[in-house]
Amino acid sequence: MRIERIELRELRMPLVSFFETSFGRTVERRIVLVRVDADGLTGWGEVTCGERPFFTYETPETAWHILRDFLIPWTIGKPWDSPSLLATQFRPIRGHNMAKAALENALWDVQAQEAGVPLAKLLGGTQIEIACGVSIGIQENVAELLDKIEHEVEAGYQRIKVKIKPGWDVEVLEGIRSRFPDIRLMTDANSAYSLDDLPHLNLLDQFGLMMVEQPLGWDDLVDHARLQREIETPVCLDESIHSASDARKAIEIGACKVINIKLGRVGGFTSAREIHDLCRARGVPVWCGGMLESGIGRAHNIALSTLPGFTLPGDVSASRRYWKEDIIEPEVSVSARGTICVPERPGLGFAPVLDRIEKATIRKETFA
Ligand code: OSB
Ligand code: MG
């Protein structure tokens, strides 16, 4: 594949309802898209960072800078036998995984089209439909949260994840369990606690949670290992895992029993597959996380979730939970049994809608 042209765009996309975590509320997304033209085909990738450097240090601005000044000049005009070679090429740049992932993943889209196979197939996916859960943000009050949960359970989602933070945890879970004693439930703290909260975190064991996601420091493994020794509830790591090497260390020291794989956070499909393969070999279940993606990133997440080690429902859910109108056709929809059917068309299997993308674009830069 010879990369002939690359286009960067920043889109503004208002969410249909706000999404709040322990680090704040998001009402509108700023999404950087990467369009790659190679061999007469077009591939798309999405930078999945937040607007503010809270989940990770990346922002749309840092991603634009790293793509424009490093990743694009290193790749454009050159032939690439495989998208994985991009991951090798990008290795000297420390971090900036979400910028790297957007470009690498766009090339995977091109390669799947060139091979005439669905992206899921090209990656080695084996599942023809994927199991879906939802992530529900912090609400104004518990009653509103319970209504949201009811709505999603009725829609068929297979598990519910709720965001927690100090002051929005044990009482909230009591409320959930008294109304929904049997649902598959988990929590995500986005690093809102420390080991000082150990007695409090012990209280989580009474709620029959599938797991607690990233309770401690975003850059920590050691304290998570200590916590996992103290609590029954499986710890799942999100923010702490950026590579297969991080995953290996976390598993070896007992810092987690489950790993959430996010394409952006780990730097793209090549790294995501390495983590998947390692976890599968060690019997650690994985699932695909979400970053409030547009349809482009969502389509990539669906393809990733078809790998055999993705045995738990992920945070990949219907377009309409986020957008009045998604930027792909068809939009992502979820069946009444809480699954997404994996498209059988070549490439992403969802077509980017150029005029909707254009309408949402607030800046654009082209490289040739
Ligand atoms: O920690 O999983 C997270 C959204 C933004 C940043 C971090 C996280 C999330 C989610 C939402 O939980 C998942 C989604 O619905 O896309
Ligand atoms: Mg998380």
Side-chain angles (χ1 to χ4, degrees):
M1 283 170 286
R2 178 175 290 276
I3 301 182
E4 289 138 16
R5 183 176 171 278
I6 298 178
E7 182 183 88
L8 292 183
R9 286 170 179 268
E10 180 178 338
L11 278 57
R12 297 262 160 145
M13 294 179 67
L15 290 166
V16 294
S17 46
F18 71 82
F19 188 79
E20 187 170 323
T21 69
S22 61
F23 39 63
R25 188 177 280 195
T26 303
V27 296
E28 185 183 57
R29 297 278 290 116
R30 288 175 62 187
I31 293 176
V32 174
L33 293 183
V34 178
R35 171 186 165 150
V36 173
D37 290 307
D39 303 351
L41 298 166
T42 296
W44 291 86
E46 174 168 345
V47 177
T48 61
C49 64
E51 291 62 43
R52 298 160 297 178
F54 296 167
F55 178 83
T56 160
Y57 54 79
E58 290 187 87
T59 67
E61 213 66 48
T62 69
W64 197 283
H65 159 54
I66 294 295
L67 280 155
R68 183 193 56 206
D69 297 328
F70 300 98
L71 306 179
I72 292 174
W74 288 4
T75 49
I76 200 162
K78 300 191 180 123
W80 297 94
D81 285 343
S82 134
S84 290
L85 295 174
L86 253 65
T88 311
Q89 175 81 23
F90 294 165
R91 212 176 283 148
I93 295 175
R94 294 187 178 169
H96 298 283
N97 282 354
M98 292 170 170
K100 292 172 179 172
L103 183 46
E104 190 200 310
N105 293 351
L107 216 60
W108 280 97
D109 179 13
V110 172
Q111 196 178 38
Q113 292 174 53
E114 209 152 57
V117 298
L119 179 55
K121 190 58 121 323
L122 181 67
L123 293 166
T126 54
Q127 310 189 54
I128 60 167
E129 58 180 347
I130 63 161
C132 307
V134 287
S135 173
I136 304 181
I138 294 165
Q139 305 296 315
E140 296 288 354
N141 54 60
V142 176
E144 275 174 38
L145 177 64
L146 297 182
D147 286 347
K148 291 228 157 171
I149 293 174
E150 179 161 296
H151 180 75
E152 304 297 10
V153 169
E154 272 170 13
Y157 284 101
Q158 300 186 15
R159 71 100 168 98
I160 302 290
K161 160 170 141 183
V162 293
K163 294 289 184 178
I164 57 167
K165 63 175 183 181
W168 180 267
D169 49 25
V170 172
E171 270 178 54
V172 174
L173 291 167
E174 279 166 357
I176 297 173
R177 275 307 186 208
S178 60
R179 182 137 143 218
F180 309 97
D182 302 320
I183 58 170
R184 297 180 89 194
L185 181 66
M186 60 171 288
T187 61
D188 185 0
N190 290 108
S191 297
Y193 300 90
S194 75
L195 278 185
D196 295 342
D197 302 307
L198 208 51
H200 193 70
L201 290 169
N202 263 304
L203 300 174
L204 296 180
D205 276 345
Q206 67 191 287
F207 298 107
L209 303 175
M210 295 171 76
M211 67 196 91
V212 51
E213 182 178 344
Q214 198 70 34
L216 307 179
W218 64 279
D219 54 353
D220 167 75
L221 293 179
V222 174
D223 284 357
H224 280 102
R226 168 80 197 284
L227 174 68
Q228 185 66 93
R229 287 196 295 275
E230 305 282 336
I231 64 173
E232 285 292 322
T233 309
V235 171
C236 169
L237 289 178
D238 176 358
E239 281 91 323
S240 293
I241 306 295
H242 302 100
S243 63
S245 140
D246 287 344
R248 176 183 59 76
K249 291 168 193 166
I251 294 165
E252 278 177 12
I253 68 168
C256 65
K257 293 179 179 166
V258 184
I259 290 180
N260 164 344
I261 302 183
K262 288 182 179 166
L263 279 166
R265 199 195 68 229
V266 307
F269 279 117
T270 303
S271 168
R273 260 203 322 202
E274 285 168 9
I275 298 172
H276 162 271
D277 294 351
L278 172 104
C279 289
R280 193 153 179 248
R282 304 210 179 188
V284 173
V286 302
W287 54 276
C288 182
M291 291 292 290
L292 312 176
E293 287 93 344
S294 81
I296 307 278
R298 204 163 291 282
H300 287 127
N301 289 342
I302 293 168
L304 179 68
S305 303
T306 63
L307 297 182
F310 285 77
T311 54
L312 294 167
D315 278 345
V316 185
S317 58
S319 296
R320 74 158 81 99
R321 297 188 61 250
Y322 307 84
W323 319 114
K324 218 171 102 193
E325 192 175 54
D326 204 342
I327 56 173
I328 52 164
E329 282 283 4
E331 63 168 27
V332 174
S333 57
V334 169
S335 73
R337 54 183 188 282
T339 62
I340 294 171
C341 285
V342 180
E344 287 164 9
R345 296 173 291 280
L348 282 190
F350 297 87
V353 182
L354 297 181
D355 62 321
R356 286 186 212 151
I357 291 175
E358 185 62 31
K359 244 193 324 194
T361 297
I362 60 156
R363 64 168 157 161
K364 180 160 81 171
E365 199 171 336
T366 305
F367 308 83

